[in-house]
Amino acid sequence: MLMRTIALLVLLSLTGWASVVLAEDGYDLWLRYRPLPAEWVAAYRPKVTELIPGAHSPTLDLTRAELSRGLGGLLGAAVPLASHPSQDGSLIVGTAESAPLIAELQLGLERAGSAGYVIRSLVYQGHHVIVIAANKDIGVLYGAFHFLRLLQTHQPLENLAILSAPRIQRRILDHWDNLDRTVERGYAGESIWDWHKLPDYLDPRYTDYARACASLGINGTVPTNVNASAISLTPAYLRKLAALADLFRPYGLRVYLTARFSAPLEIGGLKTADPLDAGVRAWWRAKTDEIYALIPDFGGFLVKANSEGQPGPQDYSRTHADGANMLADAVGRHGGIVMWRAFVYSQQQPDDRAKQAADEFVPLDGKFRDNVILQVKNGPIDFQPREPFHPLFGAMPHTPMMLEVQITKEYLGFATHLVYLAPLFEETLRSDTYARGQGSTVAKVIDGELFGGATASKAVGSGPPFAHSLTGIAGVANVGSDRNWTGSHFDQANWYAFGRLAWDPTLSSRDIAEEWVRMTFSNDSAFVAPVVAMMMRSREAAVDYMTPLGLHHQMARDTHYGPGPWVSGGPRADWTSVYFNRADADGIGFDRTATGSNALAQYAPQVAAQFADLTKTPETLLLWFHHVPWDYKLQSGRTLWDELVIHYTQGVLTVNDMRHIWADHSFMVDPERAAQVSTFLAIQEREARWWRDASIAYFETFSHRPLPAGYAPPEHNLQFYEALCFPYAPGIAPRPSATCQ
Amino acid sequence: MLMRTIALLVLLSLTGWASVVLAEDGYDLWLRYRPLPAEWVAAYRPKVTELIPGAHSPTLDLTRAELSRGLGGLLGAAVPLASHPSQDGSLIVGTAESAPLIAELQLGLERAGSAGYVIRSLVYQGHHVIVIAANKDIGVLYGAFHFLRLLQTHQPLENLAILSAPRIQRRILDHWDNLDRTVERGYAGESIWDWHKLPDYLDPRYTDYARACASLGINGTVPTNVNASAISLTPAYLRKLAALADLFRPYGLRVYLTARFSAPLEIGGLKTADPLDAGVRAWWRAKTDEIYALIPDFGGFLVKANSEGQPGPQDYSRTHADGANMLADAVGRHGGIVMWRAFVYSQQQPDDRAKQAADEFVPLDGKFRDNVILQVKNGPIDFQPREPFHPLFGAMPHTPMMLEVQITKEYLGFATHLVYLAPLFEETLRSDTYARGQGSTVAKVIDGELFGGATASKAVGSGPPFAHSLTGIAGVANVGSDRNWTGSHFDQANWYAFGRLAWDPTLSSRDIAEEWVRMTFSNDSAFVAPVVAMMMRSREAAVDYMTPLGLHHQMARDTHYGPGPWVSGGPRADWTSVYFNRADADGIGFDRTATGSNALAQYAPQVAAQFADLTKTPETLLLWFHHVPWDYKLQSGRTLWDELVIHYTQGVLTVNDMRHIWADHSFMVDPERAAQVSTFLAIQEREARWWRDASIAYFETFSHRPLPAGYAPPEHNLQFYEALCFPYAPGIAPRPSATCQ
């Protein structure tokens, strides 16, 4: 059989099929397992001569299969299985509980917790072996992926002494996927969830999704949109969800659901959804019983309430705490949690939109059930290219709080812009809230370190697997049915980086980029170094060509595709650009100091003091906090207006640089991926120029100042840019309108 | 390099990658080119020893590449290129014009026309050679695909003397794809057309789409929905279309566009779309000039006007001929045509919907420009599981008429039901209109044979490539972004069969099925025979479990998912089921005889006479033409009611048979495809039972008769079936409603 396969492959190699074998369409993500260069195979082979997979369980069987697949692919030869280590190079895998061999070793597993693992080189019965061990099966799977990553990135296998455990307990992907396969703000094709064919048909892609999540330690998925449909709570859809849950369980991936607050009216036949109504409470209790009967490890609910038109407890003059606690009581009986989103702002509220979440929630600190966690976006507006950290971080010591970041690039050029987001995530995680003095970073808020006493079970490693330790982080997924999953090859890096930072928010974005490039494209340092450098510049480039110096929310209406600094009118002021840029003859920027909205007062005094002082505010956030005169001199000595133009221009130039870097190095990857990246970078450069030119054309109508010498004027006049219209830009469903005015 | 590739493949073969190499996800369609069994390689190798590809041109270069890919894959070794035949086994490819070698041979090319080809075994300068020759490059490409098909299906290569030319000139796929990537009545994922990234990014899938079309001889594509958006006619979208046209051109695939009749108002700034208005006429002339400047071989417009809410000339009290001719005048100056759909019925018209198209169009016979062709659905209602042929066929001798069939299974169970449609297409094509006496088949109407004098250029083979010979056939595509293109593996057969019948409507559905099974799954006769037999039974099974004995239009409202014989009310009577089934205490069926709507009077007298006589009407169409008493005795001697129940039941039983046939034989194909087919057949059986049970539960409220002995009652009561609701069933955008009543 083997010889027949080889013969077949030799035949294939002589034909066009070789190209199929070697084609790279991106489907394999960072789990490509392509054969390593001969020198690395020679180095690794003696270190991995046999696999001792230990006991059977659904998760351990997956672990064995992944190691066989990965090692077989990387080393070019199947690694034989054995029941007991008999030679140098044994790879021993398992838990202390299921493998006596591991139990007898002193591995320090007590520090690995329920999801962590150790990878250790040691001598066992005279043989040099490597052990991947954990307290629970899922830790073994995570350790196996870590071990494979070592080979994938050409790391030495000598003297391994790795202990790794997640710093955050709930590491979740939020899918804004509607039940009809459209994806709100999705730029990677339709939803991967084919609800219509569930529960019968389990697309092989679901398995690969779970593998990819597990390879990063992602342990939760919310497959439904926060703008929720109550239909997802009907019996038919719960059975569909249960089929996914069954498939995902051995990968350590729990399912959650978004809960539409008005579901008792829509599918329950009740007359109210008042969270204090006994009938409503009974309905949700019965509904959660129904869910847990199908999915015993159901994670809980994610809720967007009283925000952007969604129903919520305030419809009944109840508080967010009333609403969250009602659901928490229902799921809590089964060990479930409620993730309650803090992204709320009221149409009736004339105050600065940036302030409203904190205004709403800070008074509720301590009023939530233990199994409620508040889900807070990285910044106070909405996933902009740059925002200051959200003032809620550090402001509610008695309330568990999780970070929500957007992996899908709603405001960052969609899939065709190469923008590596880990620097943005890192910037938030490392922001200092000063809630308990210097060093009170957002990372320490969300990993439970800062307010440890406030959370139920904060210690890394304590408790059973999936203990309800209320620390968490959520990323709005960029995953779709596109063959490469994320709409572009480089957007895979953003899924990857989210997962890695969710496991360990102290990792550096640069290290993650390098890891990813090595696994995804090439280990050749002549490729890795320039491409990582390119990625590391990409987010600042996007800030520059879209919203430099603290500007925010300047995109086109509805579609969010391209620039729209002129956007005004419409249903609400805080959905316009002019609300946020406040450009006038005097200057530009949103005064959030005491003379303005005083939003900065929501931060700790040390932070507020810095932001209050125009000269101390980082220039990257200048126009977020201040309305600044056009002729105000920045640190460069140039005026604000000149610097604005220079930043816009620099953004375009950086993308042009990125194009050249790719053009010079992409010969080192396969032609299919090289070509797509190249085409997308060309789109990005054109659209970066569009952003620059349109923004300058608009703002110069206020500044009335010439462009700095040597800077080209916009290619077209303002009317040209204002007239552009893209009714079918992706990511909106239902569409506001199919025609342009 | 080659050795390195082999070494790599050997390495891969030792690892998990072998399974990747051999995985079959269906993407390759019928162009798989997997290595043939050794005995066939041995037989074919001496017959194909070298390839003489002749001259260079875009199409000939593609031909060479396809032959190299195909022969290399099938024979397991690259076939060397040569400039001149030097040995037995030379494969000589080209046109007489570009290859002197071919010009000197007597090949009978004068009968091949502009798109046909010859494949001939002959002796040239003492060598046994095979020649693939044509008058035009595209014919050579078609011939190359035919030649590869011979090897793919294990046909002998001795004494080849093939002459093939299309009997129908316009062989077109109509995509009901909206510009936002939703697909109306699409069940294979989102649209393959990523308009947002066009014209910059050309998805590799576009190339494979063009290859697949060319392999069948499909020579036209309408990428936009007949329910059209005027946006597709804006300059930005025309540039996107031009990028596709440039890619498709060497494959002989021309692009057409749907034209929204009211576009002059919506994007032209005009106050009217009256086809007789000079400004409107000028606007369309300018618009077509703009299109042809970008796409010199643009095919023309497909128009759905004054039908189901679409705008049209009747909005201005003009006729369909006025509307069609106005557009025909615009595109005619550039060689374009107008395909005007006859699928019209009026909300104001109380008469039988089945009659309205003929009522509307017969009086217009002879009133259309020469470059207008009327596009007529196979039956007078709407792509039902079975309909009689459309009365327009044969009824307009002075008007070119093309057949429209639906490849996507809107009314046939979506992608999860295995229904092979070629028997349905064949049934229509072989239907005898008696328009010029016996033998006046629909096939002869649409291939120009019957009314030859009426069409511009009917003779096969006359004229230049893409001559405007007005014969045509259109299939509503079932293609989407699903990895297997069509939502299921067996639905690929329907795309395939449409293309083959479009080339030659006299082919047999069984022969096409066998060809397809051999190319797609296996040449093993132990597999081919039962699977072809299964396919051949599948359409009658669907008729039986959905709409037996001439019933029609009995599906659920809007989604068309599942049964809905009780559907009534709503915006219009002829969108309901009760309008069509007319079930009452006396019987069931639509009286279309002289005592009823007299729709049969629209057929030729011989046909009408047969349908008028209850005893002569085929039982397959009984309830289409007659309201029949429940106790009426059919040929079996059983009552109508009993036969109805028996047919519903037989449909379910046949699907159960199909499941067993697949279960017994699918081990002969790869596990991935085997499993998906198996899962879908299980869905189909469950849904077939649902159709049966729900239909019986409804109709027994009228028949008040017991089920025949031994036939199980419906599993649930009627209320259960009526209450089922599937707001997110695929294929509808925008959705009528997201909640169930």
Side-chain angles (χ1 to χ4, degrees):
Chain A
M1 180 61 197
L2 180 62
M3 282 315 296
R4 192 173 147 198
T5 307
I6 293 175
L8 176 59
L9 286 163
V10 171
L11 286 180
L12 290 175
S13 74
L14 294 166
T15 71
W17 281 96
S19 63
V20 174
V21 175
L22 304 174
E24 296 256 2
D25 58 18
Y27 182 82
D28 294 328
L29 296 165
W30 47 87
L31 303 174
R32 291 162 59 251
Y33 303 147
R34 298 293 190 278
L36 295 168
E39 64 272 26
W40 283 100
V41 172
Y44 287 146
R45 277 251 180 95
K47 306 287 181 193
V48 191
T49 57
E50 61 180 7
L51 175 59
I52 320 294
H56 283 282
S57 79
T59 299
L60 291 177
D61 290 349
L62 294 176
T63 305
R64 175 175 34 245
E66 193 72 33
L67 283 169
S68 291
R69 176 178 180 163
L71 294 171
L74 293 164
L75 301 181
V79 174
L81 300 181
S83 59
H84 203 79
S86 64
Q87 55 182 310
D88 282 356
S90 275
L91 180 62
I92 303 167
V93 175
T95 63
E97 190 182 332
S98 65
L101 177 56
I102 288 171
E104 70 185 69
L105 302 170
Q106 297 301 315
L107 296 169
L109 278 174
E110 60 283 1
R111 291 161 56 213
S114 60
Y117 52 84
V118 298
I119 305 176
R120 289 273 301 276
S121 303
L122 47 81
V123 176
Y124 177 80
Q125 294 183 344
H127 297 305
H128 291 270
V129 303
I130 296 173
V131 179
I132 304 173
N135 293 307
K136 298 288 171 183
D137 290 356
I138 187 63
V140 183
L141 179 60
Y142 292 158
F145 278 115
H146 187 140
F147 181 73
L148 289 169
R149 189 164 68 229
L150 297 177
L151 280 72
Q152 289 176 277
T153 57
H154 295 189
Q155 304 304 306
L157 295 186
E158 279 78 23
N159 304 316
L160 296 175
I162 294 166
L163 167 70
S164 186
R167 298 178 64 90
I168 298 174
Q169 298 304 310
R170 307 266 176 167
R171 306 174 298 278
I172 296 179
L173 283 184
D174 291 355
H175 291 260
W176 287 359
D177 295 18
N178 302 308
L179 301 182
D180 63 358
R181 302 198 74 170
T182 59
V183 181
E184 185 167 330
R185 308 308 176 181
Y187 311 102
E190 69 182 346
S191 171
I192 61 173
W193 315 120
D194 187 355
W195 294 106
H196 183 69
K197 297 199 192 78
L198 282 169
D200 303 278
Y201 179 61
L202 294 168
D203 192 318
R205 195 183 265 265
Y206 302 152
T207 300
D208 289 318
Y209 169 82
R211 282 179 61 233
C213 285
S215 77
L216 304 171
I218 291 170
N219 66 358
T221 181
V222 191
T224 50
N225 194 348
V226 288
N227 292 322
S229 163
I231 303 280
S232 65
L233 295 168
T234 58
Y237 276 81
L238 294 178
R239 283 193 296 273
K240 296 168 189 282
L241 185 71
L244 289 178
D246 290 343
L247 181 69
F248 292 164
R249 191 167 293 112
Y251 294 94
L253 191 62
R254 288 172 100 171
V255 298
Y256 298 74
L257 267 184
T258 51
R260 186 165 165 89
F261 204 80
S262 53
L265 291 86
E266 292 150 1
I267 61 168
L270 303 190
K271 301 281 188 228
T272 178
D274 181 347
L276 301 191
D277 178 86
V280 171
R281 300 175 69 84
W283 188 87
W284 281 108
R285 275 198 305 274
K287 181 53 69 181
T288 54
D289 290 348
E290 181 187 352
I291 296 172
Y292 279 93
L294 289 164
I295 309 169
D297 59 349
F298 177 67
F301 292 128
L302 168 63
V303 185
K304 174 178 181 177
N306 292 122
S307 172
E308 300 184 321
Q310 292 297 307
Q314 295 180 335
D315 302 348
Y316 306 94
S317 304
R318 312 300 184 189
T319 69
H320 283 282
D322 293 330
N325 291 342
M326 180 270 291
L327 291 173
D329 290 343
V331 296
R333 298 168 305 130
H334 301 281
I337 67 166
V338 171
M339 299 174 285
W340 194 267
R341 288 177 100 228
F343 178 67
V344 302
Y345 54 99
S346 162
Q347 181 148 12
Q348 281 68 48
Q349 174 64 263
D351 204 356
D352 180 2
R353 174 174 149 188
K355 293 167 61 179
Q356 294 188 39
D359 283 350
E360 189 79 54
F361 282 95
V362 169
L364 299 175
D365 189 27
K367 301 215 163 78
F368 292 95
R369 297 282 188 274
D370 286 347
N371 61 331
V372 174
I373 186 165
L374 210 57
Q375 182 166 310
V376 182
K377 291 186 181 184
N378 56 293
I381 296 297
D382 193 12
F383 301 134
Q384 292 300 296
R386 170 168 281 123
E387 302 193 26
F389 69 90
H390 200 294
L392 276 173
F393 290 112
M396 297 179 67
H398 305 291
T399 305
M401 194 171 286
M402 62 194 290
L403 170 64
E404 177 180 347
V405 296
Q406 197 178 40
I407 311 171
T408 188
K409 302 212 305 298
E410 174 180 358
Y411 299 106
L412 282 154
F414 304 177
T416 40
H417 288 213
L418 196 168
V419 184
Y420 175 54
L421 297 177
L424 187 164
F425 304 158
E426 183 180 51
E427 186 174 289
T428 298
L429 289 165
R430 296 185 178 181
S431 291
D432 197 340
T433 69
Y434 283 87
R436 288 195 167 176
Q438 193 168 15
S440 302
T441 61
V442 171
K444 289 183 185 171
V445 173
I446 66 163
D447 73 9
E449 183 177 333
L450 199 65
F451 303 121
T455 58
S457 172
K458 79 246 163 254
V460 169
S462 67
F466 312 127
H468 300 128
S469 310
L470 278 186
T471 60
I473 184 167
V476 180
N478 63 350
V479 167
S481 284
D482 274 2
R483 187 64 183 164
N484 63 21
W485 294 87
T486 55
S488 79
H489 297 293
F490 273 90
D491 272 315
Q492 296 180 354
N494 294 325
W495 182 9
Y496 185 87
F498 167 76
R500 297 287 289 131
L501 286 167
W503 182 274
D504 183 356
T506 70
L507 291 175
S508 102
S509 60
R510 181 178 296 274
D511 290 348
I512 295 171
E514 176 168 338
E515 213 174 72
W516 177 82
V517 168
R518 288 176 176 274
M519 296 166 82
T520 304
F521 284 120
S522 169
N523 275 287
D524 192 325
S525 59
F527 180 88
V528 173
V531 171
V532 168
M534 174 183 83
M535 290 170 72
M536 291 303 294
R537 295 169 67 192
S538 62
R539 184 267 186 140
E540 204 61 36
V543 171
D544 276 341
Y545 63 71
M546 289 180 169
T547 50
L549 297 173
L551 283 174
H552 49 288
H553 204 294
Q554 299 298 297
M555 65 288 167
R557 196 195 299 272
D558 295 328
T559 64
H560 300 175
Y561 176 58
W566 49 79
V567 168
S568 63
R572 45 191 303 166
D574 54 6
W575 280 358
T576 70
S577 301
V578 299
Y579 173 90
F580 292 102
N581 68 49
R582 312 247 159 161
D584 58 24
D586 298 328
I588 183 172
F590 199 128
D591 183 4
R592 291 193 168 104
T593 69
T595 59
S597 77
N598 206 27
L600 49 71
Q602 295 181 329
Y603 291 98
Q606 299 93 321
V607 178
Q610 184 192 11
F611 291 155
D613 185 338
L614 182 57
T615 66
K616 290 186 182 154
T617 304
E619 289 189 350
T620 54
L621 292 172
L622 198 64
L623 306 181
W624 188 284
F625 287 110
H626 302 277
H627 190 74
V628 183
W630 295 112
D631 288 331
Y632 177 78
K633 287 281 186 353
L634 298 197
Q635 287 156 20
S636 65
R638 288 185 285 260
T639 66
L640 172 66
W641 169 246
D642 284 0
E643 276 291 349
L644 208 53
V645 174
I646 289 167
H647 272 80
Y648 281 124
T649 309
Q650 184 55 51
V652 181
L653 293 173
T654 302
V655 177
N656 182 268
D657 271 3
M658 291 162 60
R659 284 186 72 181
H660 284 110
I661 290 164
W662 189 253
D664 290 347
H665 297 89
S666 62
F667 72 91
M668 300 173 80
V669 306
D670 56 288
E672 186 172 340
R673 289 190 297 170
Q676 193 193 73
V677 173
S678 173
T679 299
F680 285 8
L681 282 168
I683 292 172
Q684 184 178 8
E685 185 178 2
R686 191 183 63 230
E687 294 185 351
R689 194 176 306 279
W690 169 32
W691 268 95
R692 172 205 183 268
D693 287 356
S695 301
I696 292 174
Y698 176 72
F699 290 125
E700 71 184 356
T701 66
F702 298 95
S703 77
H704 294 300
R705 282 158 177 81
L707 301 194
Y711 285 78
E715 189 179 349
H716 302 281
N717 64 21
L718 178 59
Q719 290 64 41
F720 172 88
Y721 297 110
E722 288 186 347
L724 293 174
C725 172
F726 304 91
Y728 299 109
I732 305 201
R735 318 209 132 256
S737 160
T739 52
C740 296
Q741 303 307 314
Chain B
M1 181 60 198
L2 180 60
M3 282 316 294
R4 193 174 146 197
T5 306
I6 293 175
L8 176 59
L9 286 164
V10 170
L11 286 180
L12 291 175
S13 74
L14 294 165
T15 72
W17 281 98
S19 63
V20 175
V21 176
L22 304 176
E24 296 255 3
D25 58 18
Y27 183 81
D28 293 327
L29 295 165
W30 47 87
L31 303 174
R32 293 163 56 250
Y33 303 147
R34 299 292 190 280
L36 295 169
E39 64 272 25
W40 283 100
V41 171
Y44 287 146
R45 277 253 180 94
K47 306 287 182 194
V48 191
T49 58
E50 63 181 4
L51 175 59
I52 320 294
H56 283 282
S57 79
T59 300
L60 291 177
D61 289 350
L62 294 175
T63 305
R64 175 174 35 244
E66 194 71 33
L67 282 170
S68 291
R69 177 178 181 162
L71 294 172
L74 293 165
L75 301 182
V79 174
L81 300 181
S83 60
H84 203 80
S86 64
Q87 55 183 312
D88 282 356
S90 276
L91 180 62
I92 303 168
V93 174
T95 61
E97 189 181 331
S98 64
L101 178 55
I102 288 171
E104 69 187 72
L105 302 170
Q106 297 301 314
L107 296 168
L109 278 173
E110 61 281 2
R111 291 162 54 215
S114 59
Y117 52 84
V118 298
I119 305 177
R120 289 272 301 276
S121 303
L122 48 81
V123 177
Y124 177 79
Q125 294 185 345
H127 298 304
H128 290 271
V129 303
I130 296 173
V131 179
I132 304 173
N135 293 308
K136 299 289 172 183
D137 290 355
I138 187 63
V140 182
L141 179 61
Y142 291 157
F145 278 114
H146 187 139
F147 182 74
L148 289 168
R149 191 164 68 227
L150 296 176
L151 279 73
Q152 290 176 277
T153 56
H154 296 190
Q155 305 304 307
L157 296 186
E158 279 79 22
N159 304 317
L160 297 174
I162 294 166
L163 167 71
S164 185
R167 297 178 65 90
I168 298 174
Q169 298 303 312
R170 308 268 176 166
R171 306 174 297 276
I172 297 179
L173 282 184
D174 290 355
H175 290 261
W176 286 359
D177 295 18
N178 302 308
L179 301 182
D180 63 359
R181 302 198 73 170
T182 59
V183 181
E184 185 168 332
R185 309 306 177 181
Y187 311 102
E190 68 182 347
S191 171
I192 60 173
W193 315 120
D194 187 355
W195 294 106
H196 183 70
K197 297 200 190 76
L198 283 169
D200 302 279
Y201 180 61
L202 294 168
D203 191 319
R205 195 183 264 265
Y206 302 152
T207 299
D208 289 318
Y209 169 82
R211 283 179 59 234
C213 286
S215 76
L216 304 173
I218 290 171
N219 67 358
T221 181
V222 190
T224 50
N225 193 349
V226 289
N227 291 322
S229 163
I231 303 280
S232 65
L233 295 168
T234 58
Y237 277 80
L238 294 177
R239 284 193 295 274
K240 296 169 189 283
L241 184 71
L244 289 178
D246 290 343
L247 180 68
F248 292 164
R249 191 167 293 113
Y251 294 94
L253 191 62
R254 288 172 101 170
V255 298
Y256 298 73
L257 267 183
T258 50
R260 186 166 165 88
F261 204 79
S262 53
L265 292 86
E266 291 151 0
I267 62 168
L270 304 190
K271 302 283 187 225
T272 178
D274 181 347
L276 301 191
D277 179 85
V280 170
R281 300 177 67 84
W283 188 87
W284 281 107
R285 277 198 304 275
K287 181 52 70 182
T288 53
D289 290 348
E290 182 187 350
I291 295 172
Y292 278 93
L294 289 164
I295 308 168
D297 59 349
F298 176 69
F301 292 127
L302 168 63
V303 185
K304 173 178 181 176
N306 291 122
S307 171
E308 299 184 321
Q310 293 296 308
Q314 294 179 335
D315 302 347
Y316 306 95
S317 304
R318 312 300 184 187
T319 69
H320 282 285
D322 292 332
N325 291 342
M326 181 270 292
L327 291 174
D329 289 343
V331 297
R333 299 168 306 129
H334 301 282
I337 67 165
V338 171
M339 297 174 285
W340 195 266
R341 287 176 100 228
F343 179 66
V344 303
Y345 55 98
S346 163
Q347 181 147 13
Q348 280 69 49
Q349 174 64 263
D351 204 357
D352 181 1
R353 176 174 148 187
K355 291 167 62 179
Q356 294 188 37
D359 283 350
E360 189 79 53
F361 281 95
V362 169
L364 298 175
D365 189 25
K367 298 217 162 81
F368 292 96
R369 296 284 186 273
D370 285 347
N371 61 331
V372 174
I373 185 165
L374 209 58
Q375 181 165 311
V376 181
K377 292 187 181 183
N378 57 293
I381 295 296
D382 193 12
F383 300 135
Q384 293 300 295
R386 170 168 282 122
E387 303 193 25
F389 69 91
H390 200 295
L392 276 173
F393 290 112
M396 296 179 67
H398 304 292
T399 305
M401 195 171 287
M402 63 194 288
L403 170 64
E404 178 179 347
V405 296
Q406 196 176 40
I407 311 171
T408 189
K409 303 213 304 298
E410 174 180 359
Y411 298 106
L412 282 154
F414 304 178
T416 39
H417 289 212
L418 196 169
V419 183
Y420 175 54
L421 297 178
L424 187 163
F425 304 158
E426 184 180 50
E427 187 173 289
T428 299
L429 288 165
R430 296 186 180 181
S431 292
D432 196 339
T433 69
Y434 283 86
R436 289 196 167 174
Q438 192 167 16
S440 301
T441 62
V442 171
K444 289 183 186 172
V445 173
I446 67 164
D447 74 8
E449 185 176 333
L450 199 65
F451 304 120
T455 58
S457 172
K458 80 244 161 256
V460 168
S462 67
F466 311 126
H468 298 126
S469 310
L470 278 187
T471 60
I473 184 168
V476 180
N478 62 351
V479 167
S481 284
D482 273 3
R483 187 64 183 164
N484 64 21
W485 294 89
T486 54
S488 79
H489 298 293
F490 273 90
D491 272 314
Q492 296 180 356
N494 293 326
W495 183 6
Y496 184 87
F498 166 76
R500 298 286 289 132
L501 285 168
W503 182 273
D504 183 357
T506 69
L507 291 176
S508 103
S509 60
R510 182 179 295 276
D511 290 348
I512 294 171
E514 177 168 337
E515 213 173 72
W516 176 82
V517 168
R518 289 175 175 274
M519 296 167 83
T520 303
F521 284 120
S522 170
N523 275 287
D524 192 324
S525 59
F527 181 88
V528 174
V531 172
V532 168
M534 174 183 81
M535 292 170 71
M536 292 303 294
R537 295 170 66 192
S538 62
R539 185 265 185 141
E540 203 61 36
V543 171
D544 276 340
Y545 64 71
M546 290 179 167
T547 49
L549 298 174
L551 283 174
H552 49 288
H553 204 294
Q554 298 299 297
M555 65 288 166
R557 197 195 298 274
D558 294 329
T559 63
H560 299 177
Y561 176 58
W566 49 79
V567 168
S568 62
R572 45 191 304 168
D574 54 6
W575 280 358
T576 69
S577 301
V578 298
Y579 175 90
F580 292 102
N581 67 50
R582 313 248 159 160
D584 57 25
D586 299 327
I588 184 173
F590 198 129
D591 181 4
R592 291 193 167 104
T593 68
T595 59
S597 77
N598 206 25
L600 49 70
Q602 294 181 331
Y603 291 98
Q606 299 93 324
V607 178
Q610 183 192 11
F611 292 155
D613 185 339
L614 182 55
T615 65
K616 289 186 184 157
T617 304
E619 290 189 351
T620 54
L621 291 173
L622 197 65
L623 306 181
W624 188 284
F625 287 110
H626 302 277
H627 190 74
V628 182
W630 295 111
D631 288 331
Y632 176 78
K633 286 281 187 353
L634 298 198
Q635 286 155 22
S636 64
R638 287 187 286 259
T639 66
L640 171 67
W641 170 245
D642 283 359
E643 275 292 348
L644 207 54
V645 173
I646 289 167
H647 273 80
Y648 280 124
T649 308
Q650 183 55 50
V652 182
L653 293 174
T654 303
V655 177
N656 181 269
D657 270 2
M658 290 162 61
R659 284 185 73 181
H660 285 111
I661 290 165
W662 189 253
D664 289 346
H665 297 89
S666 63
F667 72 92
M668 300 172 80
V669 308
D670 56 288
E672 186 171 340
R673 289 190 295 169
Q676 194 193 71
V677 173
S678 172
T679 299
F680 286 7
L681 282 168
I683 293 172
Q684 184 177 8
E685 185 178 1
R686 192 184 61 233
E687 294 185 350
R689 194 174 308 277
W690 169 32
W691 267 96
R692 171 204 184 268
D693 286 357
S695 301
I696 292 174
Y698 176 72
F699 290 125
E700 69 184 357
T701 67
F702 298 95
S703 76
H704 295 298
R705 283 160 176 79
L707 301 194
Y711 284 78
E715 189 180 351
H716 302 281
N717 64 21
L718 178 60
Q719 290 65 40
F720 172 87
Y721 296 109
E722 288 187 347
L724 292 175
C725 171
F726 304 90
Y728 299 109
I732 304 201
R735 319 209 131 256
S737 159
T739 53
C740 296
Q741 300 308 312

